[in-house]
Amino acid sequence: MVTLTPTQDKYLPYVLAVALFMQILDATILNTSLPQMAQALGESPLKMQWAVISYALTLAIFIPISGFLADKYGTRRVFLYAIIIFCIGSLLCAASPTLDFLIGSRIVQGIGGAMMTPVARLILVKSYPRNKLLTVMNFAVIPALIAPLVGPVLGGYIVQYTSWHWIFLINIPMGVFGFIMGKKLVPALFEDTKRLDWTGFALFAAAACGFTLAVEFGSQTGRGFYGLLLGLGASLLIGAYVWHAKRRAAPLFP
């Protein structure tokens, strides 16, 4: 358990709450603005859904290794780099001239987001005693509960009164604030790490992708069968991961 200064103890949850809000907001803010973005980019509204799916898939792939990276390189460094990558991805999204460029930019965003959210929670777990952890965790998670409700409404207002580019540009001031405050307040925590379990990472990431696509296809008319197949395949991959983890000394997840 790290010893926090009084300033860290008081304000650290605010910094992490901003990061959680920013990442989860971006997962939902596009939903109501896709038709306008499709028109601006000259694409079919149905194809625009890949701008949402690519972000979700990137989160599913990279979240499993975020804890390993935080333990190896330090929570502060990984958290700050995550904010930088997320903001760069946001700028690239706003500057996207085509759908393909937008999808690639959303992947960059997703890599940053995949590191921000779990590392922020890890920092809280390692920084506060058990008797304060529940209160602090609840405070930091409240923005994560609000963001899915605010995202679609905010996205609709932005495209109606400004332009779709601001859906991504609003991340920049939040990111700058999070970076400045994070540099001052986030503790640098390390843990002893062994080699990354690449086999486990591949199995778990593939399973997470399968479940994500299964939910996406299952919600689309005429694609329910594909969703079912993906769900079954992902379940088999999870089973394979459990079998692998029981036979490895240092699995990705015990």
Side-chain angles (χ1 to χ4, degrees), residues 137-218:
M137 190 71 78
N138 284 338
F139 174 82
V141 168
I142 284 174
L145 300 177
I146 296 174
L149 303 177
V150 174
V153 177
L154 182 60
Y157 274 107
I158 288 175
V159 295
Q160 183 174 354
Y161 294 108
T162 57
S163 71
W164 65 267
H165 305 85
W166 286 99
I167 288 174
F168 304 105
L169 291 176
I170 61 170
N171 292 326
I172 307 305
M174 288 190 289
V176 170
F177 171 80
F179 182 86
I180 293 172
M181 299 305 294
K183 198 169 184 181
K184 294 180 179 179
L185 299 175
V186 173
L189 308 175
F190 295 84
E191 293 283 348
D192 292 332
T193 57
K194 298 181 180 179
R195 288 185 60 192
L196 179 63
D197 176 17
W198 286 105
T199 302
F201 168 60
L203 289 170
F204 200 92
C209 283
F211 283 125
T212 303
L213 287 172
V215 172
E216 182 60 38
F217 287 156

Side-chain angles (χ1 to χ4, degrees), residues 23-239:
Q23 187 269 310
I24 297 175
L25 178 71
D26 239 60
T28 58
I29 196 170
L30 286 186
N31 293 340
T32 53
S33 55
L34 290 179
Q36 291 86 344
M37 292 177 65
Q39 185 177 7
L41 295 175
E43 292 285 351
S44 163
L46 293 177
K47 287 186 178 180
M48 292 299 300
Q49 193 67 22
W50 282 103
V52 178
I53 297 172
S54 60
Y55 184 80
L57 287 178
T58 306
L59 292 178
I61 291 171
F62 287 99
I63 279 177
I65 63 170
S66 58
F68 173 85
L69 293 175
D71 289 341
K72 185 175 179 64
Y73 298 107
T75 50
R76 180 192 292 161
R77 181 182 299 176
V78 172
F79 182 75
L80 295 179
Y81 272 109
I83 291 178
I84 292 173
I85 294 170
F86 189 85
C87 288
I88 290 173
S90 297
L91 285 172
L92 291 173
C93 286
S96 298
T98 64
L99 176 58
D100 290 339
F101 194 97
L102 177 62
I103 291 172
S105 302
R106 289 285 282 174
I107 291 172
V108 175
Q109 249 193 336
I111 292 173
M115 303 299 162
M116 264 198 305
T117 303
V119 171
R121 290 180 176 140
L122 184 65
I123 292 167
L124 290 178
V125 169
K126 291 187 174 183
S127 300
Y128 289 90
R130 187 170 297 178
N131 62 331
K132 294 180 65 175
L133 183 59
L134 183 60
T135 302
V136 172
M137 190 71 78
N138 284 338
F139 174 82
V141 168
I142 284 174
L145 300 177
I146 296 174
L149 303 177
V150 174
V153 177
L154 182 60
Y157 274 107
I158 288 175
V159 295
Q160 183 174 354
Y161 294 108
T162 57
S163 71
W164 65 267
H165 305 85
W166 286 99
I167 288 174
F168 304 105
L169 291 176
I170 61 170
N171 292 326
I172 307 305
M174 288 190 289
V176 170
F177 171 80
F179 182 86
I180 293 172
M181 299 305 294
K183 198 169 184 181
K184 294 180 179 179
L185 299 175
V186 173
L189 308 175
F190 295 84
E191 293 283 348
D192 292 332
T193 57
K194 298 181 180 179
R195 288 185 60 192
L196 179 63
D197 176 17
W198 286 105
T199 302
F201 168 60
L203 289 170
F204 200 92
C209 283
F211 283 125
T212 303
L213 287 172
V215 172
E216 182 60 38
F217 287 156
S219 64
Q220 297 177 8
T221 304
R223 289 189 170 183
F225 180 70
Y226 297 111
L228 179 61
L229 288 180
L230 284 165
L232 290 174
S235 299
L236 291 174
L237 287 168
I238 283 292

